[in-house]
Amino acid sequence: MSELRLVPPAALAWAMTLSILLGVPWLGILLSLLVVCAAGFMREWGQAVLTGSVSAVAAALTMLRRRAAEAFEFPGETAATVATAPTETSTGGWLVRVRVTGYPAEVPVFSEAVPDGLVTGTSVLVHGAVKESSRPGVGGVSINGDISVLEGPEGFDAFVASIREAFRVSVEAHVSEHSRGLIPGMVLGDTSLQSAAERDVYIVSGLSHLSAVSGANVAILVTAVVLIARALRAGLYTQICLAGLAVVVFAGIVGAEPSVLRATITGLVGLVAVLASSRSEPMHALCLAVISLVLLDSDLAVNYGFALSVAATVGIVVMHPFLYRALAPTGWPDILVRALSVAVAADIMTMPIISLMTGQVSLVSVGANVLVAAATAPVTILGLLAAVLAALPGGLEVVVYPLIQPFTWWIYTVGHTAASFPQATIAATPLAVAIGYGWVIAGFLFRRAGLTLGVAALVLIGAGVVGQNRAPEVELGDLVAHVVDTRDDVEPVPPGTELVVVLDNSGRKASRGSQTAGGIPVIFPNRDGEVSLHVDGTQHAADGRF
């Protein structure tokens, strides 16, 4: 790659901001001085000035924002605007990120309950205790308390909320259970129709990124628009204009949340790679995106989602061509070679970050992502069409759902099958991941791609054989439970129920797990003792009976 001159400024802008937020500013200053001096020693004066200027601006903006945050005084009741939709925490409460006028960062609010219909752009009143946050960031505070709605979203936010709600209601009414949570998730990043057990399945199988708006969504949309424009014999600049317009419309439909804006900008790197790689290197565009985003929002430097987006993009841009060339001589079908090289490239770059974030990695993610690769684009494109139709009168979106569901059924099946593998996830440190993938890269370098993948598959199979022969557990406390006294009280099951608990202790202990006619797990804790529920739907009693 020829256009790498923005890599040092982008890396140092990120490193400088990160070091300040972590409380070790001297480290960022030292790195900046070393890089600037090295550029000067090589007589790259323009590089030295550019790198030093960008890192200095990043440092100044971060420190100014931190001082503004430290000087801000929260009143007993704080008027705010919802920045992101509420997400349920592992303890059963809710996390809502809000924007407060005059405060330079989003404020996380933890509440035991949130008002119905709380969406991005809603004006709220937050009353509770302001506490120091353990997470690094510009603000460094969080609020534990209650949220009350002052006024619903207005203007564009109201328009986006109406589209998301209409689409969610339509999907819930007309789509089968295995597709109900995937379609809104893959199209709009709305996981409200996914149960906690279903979310665990996609996390374990490495497919959870499909239900988050990412640069991949933007890249799929851009590719589809470009192919249509080329079929109509449109010129390059027309293709760029149409693709850019499609990205703007997509961001508008999905919503202007920070995660969406990050995905849109990183996805635009895909636009450069697809349309104008001969005139502007994708890495050049990615560095510009990183510099712009870190300067606009210092908190992105400590955001795992941002790091994963950038790492995956770097992997695809830098490593995908190399892996593709290494796999091409195997003679495998081209579509398989491309899907595998993209999945491995993204995995190599993101796995160390995932292991740092969670302490574990998925051993089945590459295989699962390769298997669902062909299904993601149809779901994204057809799903966007259905979302637009759902916002219009006439109910025409129901015509599109039958076209989408075979693809979502396949993704659902792959996810559940992969998650049920023994040792689907293992504990791992970033160093262990780097060593493991270093061995894989070495195999590709020595043109032993087939042998390398074969040995890796045998290692994974061996890990599964010696590991525990069951899928990862689901935290029962995270599930919406329907508690009844006897088995006769189980039906009807309230909507949204994810687990039925029967308190009756009469009768003999069961020899296998129970579930309702609709597939909802049923447990008898007072009769059977401790029972574990797993992401593949199986149950296991503590005494080994089932």
Side-chain angles (χ1 to χ4, degrees), residues 219-235 238-240 242-243 271 274-275 377 381:
I220 289 171
L221 177 63
V222 165
T223 303
V225 172
V226 168
L227 291 176
I228 294 173
R230 285 180 178 174
L232 297 175
R233 300 184 181 279
T238 302
Q239 294 173 29
I240 293 175
L242 290 175
L271 173 61
V274 171
L275 297 180
I381 301 302

Side-chain angles (χ1 to χ4, degrees), residues 203-226:
I203 290 173
V204 171
S205 61
L207 299 179
S208 60
H209 65 92
L210 297 179
S211 294
V213 177
S214 66
N217 298 75
V218 180
I220 289 171
L221 177 63
V222 165
T223 303
V225 172
V226 168

Side-chain angles (χ1 to χ4, degrees), residues 257-398:
E257 294 187 1
S259 60
V260 176
L261 298 178
R262 292 195 301 269
T264 301
I265 293 178
T266 53
L268 286 175
V269 177
L271 173 61
V272 174
V274 171
L275 297 180
S277 59
S278 62
R279 307 183 187 187
S280 178
E281 289 278 358
M283 184 57 71
H284 192 79
L286 178 61
C287 290
L288 284 173
V290 169
I291 293 171
S292 302
L293 288 169
V294 171
L295 293 182
L296 288 171
D297 184 357
S298 301
D299 275 337
L300 288 179
V302 291
N303 185 281
Y304 277 117
F306 179 64
L308 289 170
S309 295
V310 173
T313 305
V314 170
I316 293 171
V317 169
V318 176
M319 302 196 68
H320 162 250
F322 155 70
L323 295 175
Y324 177 78
R325 288 193 298 269
L327 285 169
T330 60
W332 298 340
D334 186 67
I335 187 172
L336 174 61
V337 171
R338 290 186 181 277
L340 187 59
S341 58
V342 168
V344 173
D347 228 38
I348 286 174
M349 297 303 295
T350 58
M351 276 299 177
I353 300 174
I354 292 174
S355 65
L356 179 65
M357 181 173 61
T358 65
Q360 60 183 13
V361 294
S362 173
L363 296 181
V364 296
S365 62
V366 170
N369 278 281
V370 169
L371 289 173
V372 304
T376 54
V379 175
T380 301
I381 301 302
L382 294 173
L384 280 171
L385 175 61
V388 173
L389 293 175
L392 302 175
L396 294 177
E397 73 278 4
V398 299

Side-chain angles (χ1 to χ4, degrees), residues 401-414:
Y401 294 146
L403 302 177
I404 304 176
Q405 291 191 74
F407 299 104
T408 49
W409 172 85
W410 173 246
I411 295 172
Y412 175 90
T413 302
V414 169

Side-chain angles (χ1 to χ4, degrees), residues 67-98:
R67 289 182 180 179
E70 292 169 357
F72 190 89
E73 293 186 7
F74 286 90
E77 293 185 334
T78 305
T81 303
V82 175
T84 60
T87 55
E88 192 171 4
T89 65
S90 59
T91 58
W94 294 88
L95 166 63
V96 183
R97 297 188 180 277
V98 301

